[in-house]
Amino acid sequence: MINEISIYYKEALLVAKDNSLPAYIANLSIEFFGHNDFALRVPFLILHIINTTLLYLISLKVVRRKEDALLVVFIFMLIPGVNIIALLVSKSSIILLITLLIVFLKLYFRHISYVLFIVISFLDSSGAVLLLSLFFYGLIFKNIKILVFSIVFFGINMYIFSPIRGVPEAYFLDTLGLFAMLLSPLLFIYYCYAIYDSVLSKATLLNLIPFVGIIFILLLSTRQEIDIESFFPPLLVGLPLLVVKILSDIRLRLKVYARAYTFRLVIILIVAFLSTALLLGNKITYLFTKEPNFAYSFYEAKEIAHDLKAMGITHIQVYSDTLRERLKFYGISNGDRYKLEPFYPRKNKTFENAIVIKYLGEIIHIYEVKPIKRQP
C-alpha cells in the first residue's frame, strides 16, 4: 500500500510546514533514508509493529491462552481503522503507543505511569480521555492522589487543546457511522457491549479507558465534530476484553449451543476482513464505475509527478492548491512556463501533452500540460 498510495494533502502540509512530533519523525526519516514514500511512512509502520507487540503482551495478562492472545492481534490487524493508522503520517500511532504503554505498565508492574499521563496531557487532546479514565479509576478505588492528579492535568489538557469549542451542532450520527466504518460495523456493536459488560463485572484501567472514551466522544459529538485522529486510538486498547467475552460465550456452553456463538465470531471476522479488503483494495470499484472513489484523494499525485518528470518538467502551475502541495513532495514546484489543468474531452479538441490516470485499465482522470503564452 505504501507503494500504491501518494502523499495526502494533510500529510504534505504536515511534513512541509508543521512542527509537531509526527512531522519531526517523518522529516527525520526522510533526511536519513531519502525523499520517498517509504521513508515517509516506514516510521509509522514500525510504530504499528511495536503497538501490535504491546497489545499481544497485554493480552497475555488478560486472556487464558497464547492462542487467544494471537486472536486479539489477528482482530487488531483486521480492523480498517488500524490499517489506516499504520499507513498514514499522523499522531494516531503515537497516541496508541502511549495508551498501550500505560496499560502495559499497570498490568505487568502494577504501576500507574504518571509521567506518560503528563506527556499525553501536553501532547494531544486525547489526553482528556485518558485522564478522565484515570479520574474514575481513582474515584472507584478511593485514591485521593490519583483523583487530584487527574483533575489537575485534565484541566491543563482542556486549557491547552480546548476540545470543546465552536457553536453547538450535532454530529452524533456521523460519529457513530465513522466508528462503525473504522472498527467495521458488527465489531463496533459487539465491542461496545463487551466493554460495557467488563466494566459492570469489575472496573479496571484497561476497560475504563475505552468505556469512558466511547461515552466522552459520543457526548462531545452531540455538540460538535470530533477529532477522530486523536480520539479513536485509545479505544482500541480494550480489544483483549472483547476476545475474553467472545471466547467465554463459546467455551462456557455445550458444543451444540456454542455453534451459534462460533458462527457469530466468524461473521464478525469476515465483515472486518471485507471492510479492510475494500479499504486496501479500493481500486476494484473502478471495474464498475469510472467515478473517483472515496480514497481517490490518496492517489494520483505520484503518477502525475512521474509523468511530468518524464516530460522534463519540474516546475509548473497547478490549478489546485491541494494538488500543488502534494506535488511539491515529489519534486514538482511552481513555475511560469507550463500549467496543468484537468482535460475534459470535447469535439475537435486536441492537445500536445496529456497525463492519463488509469487504474485497472480504466481511465479515471486526464490532465493537460499546456505552455503558458507570455505577453509580448
Side-chain angles (χ1 to χ4, degrees), residues 23-70:
Y24 175 77
I25 291 171
N27 281 311
L28 187 65
S29 177
I30 289 168
E31 186 178 341
F32 192 76
F33 295 109
H35 208 92
N36 57 71
D37 287 278
F38 285 92
L40 176 72
R41 303 191 188 282
V42 159
F44 301 92
L45 186 60
I46 292 171
L47 281 175
H48 174 62
I49 294 168
I50 295 170
N51 288 337
T52 306
T53 305
L54 275 173
L55 183 63
Y56 174 73
L57 294 173
I58 289 169
S59 301
L60 289 176
K61 285 287 187 179
V62 179
V63 298
R64 295 181 180 180
R65 308 169 185 172
K66 288 185 178 180
E67 307 90 82
D68 299 348
L70 288 173

Side-chain angles (χ1 to χ4, degrees), residues 17-136:
K17 302 176 181 179
D18 205 275
N19 294 319
S20 64
L21 182 57
Y24 175 77
I25 291 171
N27 281 311
L28 187 65
S29 177
I30 289 168
E31 186 178 341
F32 192 76
F33 295 109
H35 208 92
N36 57 71
D37 287 278
F38 285 92
L40 176 72
R41 303 191 188 282
V42 159
F44 301 92
L45 186 60
I46 292 171
L47 281 175
H48 174 62
I49 294 168
I50 295 170
N51 288 337
T52 306
T53 305
L54 275 173
L55 183 63
Y56 174 73
L57 294 173
I58 289 169
S59 301
L60 289 176
K61 285 287 187 179
V62 179
V63 298
R64 295 181 180 180
R65 308 169 185 172
K66 288 185 178 180
E67 307 90 82
D68 299 348
L70 288 173
L71 178 60
V72 175
V73 171
F74 180 68
I75 293 174
F76 176 74
M77 296 177 74
L78 275 184
I79 294 174
V82 170
N83 287 281
I84 294 173
I85 289 173
L87 280 171
L88 301 186
V89 178
S90 74
K91 55 192 173 183
S92 299
S93 293
I94 301 168
I95 294 167
L96 180 56
L97 175 64
I98 293 173
T99 307
L100 290 170
L101 280 173
I102 286 170
V103 174
F104 175 82
L105 291 172
K106 183 69 176 70
L107 287 175
Y108 275 81
F109 303 102
R110 302 183 182 276
H111 169 67
I112 293 177
S113 179
Y114 294 102
V115 173
L116 289 175
F117 276 105
I118 293 171
V119 168
I120 196 67
S121 300
F122 288 96
L123 182 66
D124 188 75
S125 58
S126 60
V129 169
L130 296 178
L131 288 161
L132 267 180
S133 305
L134 186 66
F135 170 80
F136 285 107

Side-chain angles (χ1 to χ4, degrees), residues 259-313:
R259 287 172 187 168
Y261 293 91
T262 304
F263 180 72
R264 182 170 62 185
L265 171 61
V266 171
I267 293 298
I268 288 172
L269 294 179
I270 289 174
V271 172
F273 171 76
L274 291 176
S275 300
T276 298
L278 179 61
L279 176 71
L280 300 183
N282 62 84
K283 288 181 182 178
I284 198 171
T285 62
Y286 296 125
L287 293 176
F288 310 101
T289 175
K290 294 181 181 180
E291 291 297 316
N293 68 17
F294 62 92
Y296 188 72
S297 54
F298 289 91
Y299 291 95
E300 82 170 358
K302 187 187 300 184
E303 293 96 323
I304 293 172
H306 178 270
D307 288 355
L308 286 172
K309 289 178 180 178
M311 297 175 187
I313 298 172

Side-chain angles (χ1 to χ4, degrees), residues 172 175-176 179-180 183-200 207 210-215 218 235 238-239 241-242 245-246 268:
F172 183 80
T175 303
L176 279 178
F179 277 129
L183 275 168
S184 88
L186 295 181
L187 186 61
F188 172 64
I189 295 169
Y190 202 81
Y191 185 61
C192 291
Y193 165 67
I195 294 300
Y196 172 74
D197 182 71
S198 176
V199 170
L200 285 184
N207 56 33
F211 180 74
V212 172
I214 290 169
I215 293 175
L218 292 180
L235 306 187
L239 282 174
L241 302 172
L242 170 70
K245 178 61 180 172
I246 290 174
I268 288 172

